[in-house]
Amino acid sequence: MKRLLTAAVGLPLVLFATFRFPPLGFFIFGVLTLGLASVEFAGIARAWAPRLPRLVLPPLVVGLAALLALPEAAQSFSANAVFGVLIALSIGVSTLALLSRTPLEQVPATIGTLAFGIPYFALPIASVCHLQRTDPWLVFLLLAINWLGDTAAYYVGSTWGKHRLAPVVSPKKTWEGAAAGLAIGIAATLVWSLARLGRVEVALLVVGVATAIAGQLGDLVESLFKRHAGIKDSGNLLPGHGGIFDRSDALLFGAPVLWYGLLVAQPWLSLAR
């Protein structure tokens, strides 16, 4: 019941932000949402990096997300821009570990966590902003692929699943559930293409498949972190769902793959109606 009530409140809020917020407002909404998820991630990461500065991750995520979410970034990522971001990550996170007086034995884990965690949350924020700016219905497609697919995977896996997908990382996930999630992702993309474009775009279906697979991988990666930390949920902000990180894990991989997939597929794909 808690799970359904939380979804009944949260889903309309996300859809309202998607379709009614201006680009800046939607960016702020994304920052607030995934910023909380990054705090939960930093809390989990203390299992392997106990001195990790928990509240330093969100501002760094916001800074990179703001840079990547600029309209100009949607047109092209020059080699110089990518080079600059990589320099900032390599020098910045190592300097941060130095200034925070991280114990020597925790330095590799701390630097690795920050270097991974910053783009881990910044890229999906920027990606959903580009999707919303291009067409809010693309964000709807992202949610349909990942959230409906996750629901299908859960119910099919728990009812008919017999073959474990990743028994060490997530014992309850099955190949049957994964197949159901992928099928729903394909179906959602097909329905979206017909309803929004009036035709079936093969390139879009390929991108939809990649997004569905990426979402399931994102779910497993979060389970990997939680399994190592020995916890079930990343938090308790969402009754019945756990934390924000728990609810957005699929989107963290799915959003960048959908956006980048659309960029790559542009020569074969027309989103104009």
Side-chain angles (χ1 to χ4, degrees), residues 25-38 58 61-62 65-66 125 129:
F26 188 72
F27 173 77
I28 294 173
F29 177 77
V31 162
L32 291 175
T33 303
L34 292 186
L36 288 173
S38 71
V61 167
V62 172
I125 293 173
C129 286

Side-chain angles (χ1 to χ4, degrees), residues 67-183:
L67 175 65
L68 297 177
L70 291 172
E72 295 79 8
Q75 304 303 319
S76 66
F77 283 97
S78 69
N80 289 336
V82 174
F83 193 67
V85 170
L86 293 177
I87 289 175
L89 280 176
S90 62
I91 295 178
V93 298
S94 56
T95 301
L96 184 60
L98 178 66
L99 296 178
S100 63
R101 298 182 179 181
T102 303
L104 293 178
E105 67 276 8
Q106 296 181 29
V107 168
T110 298
I111 291 177
T113 300
L114 290 174
F116 170 78
I118 295 170
Y120 184 41
F121 292 96
L123 281 172
I125 293 173
S127 297
V128 294
C129 286
H130 289 311
L131 291 169
Q132 193 243 10
R133 189 183 295 116
T134 302
D135 181 358
W137 284 101
L138 287 171
V139 180
F140 183 87
L141 173 61
L142 172 68
L143 298 177
I145 291 174
N146 288 146
W147 285 356
L148 290 180
D150 180 66
T151 301
Y154 173 78
Y155 284 108
V156 171
S158 60
T159 304
W160 295 290
K162 295 181 180 179
H163 302 88
R164 302 301 176 189
L165 176 62
V168 175
V169 176
S170 186
K172 293 184 178 180
K173 288 183 172 59
T174 65
W175 282 104
E176 290 84 355
L182 178 59

